[in-house]
Amino acid sequence: MLITVSRSGGLTGVDKVQKIDTSARRDAAEWEDLARRVLPPVADGFHYRITVDDQVLEIGETSLTGDQRELIRAVLGEGA
């Protein structure tokens, strides 16, 4: 399993990306279990990428707020 975490923003504006390949790790089971627990269970659900100027939000359908759904409906012209 390949796990990638990226962080951006902050006061210094320094981006950081780190990848962990669990295939050769002794503690692979722990890493993989943790990674599975943080991902929402979405069977065939939609995923959205909303960009407003230079800000980007990537979010799954089950995590949308009411305002996010409203914006998505308005922009896509269909139900979210």
Side-chain angles (χ1 to χ4, degrees):
M1 175 183 285
L2 181 63
I3 303 167
T4 305
V5 174
S6 60
R7 178 184 68 197
S8 62
L11 210 47
T12 61
V14 176
D15 295 345
K16 182 173 184 176
V17 177
Q18 185 66 38
K19 297 179 182 186
I20 301 290
D21 184 350
T22 65
S23 62
R25 296 183 62 103
R26 290 183 184 179
D27 58 352
E30 290 87 5
W31 279 97
E32 293 167 8
D33 181 55
L34 177 60
R36 286 187 188 97
R37 290 193 320 258
V38 302
L39 297 175
V42 177
D44 209 23
F46 289 111
H47 296 273
Y48 298 94
R49 180 182 174 97
I50 301 169
T51 304
V52 179
D53 292 331
D54 61 345
Q55 295 184 0
V56 178
L57 171 67
E58 294 188 22
I59 191 166
E61 181 176 30
T62 60
S63 300
L64 292 172
T65 67
D67 289 338
Q68 291 164 340
R69 286 184 188 280
E70 183 179 348
L71 178 65
I72 289 166
R73 282 189 196 110
V75 173
L76 295 181
E78 62 188 54

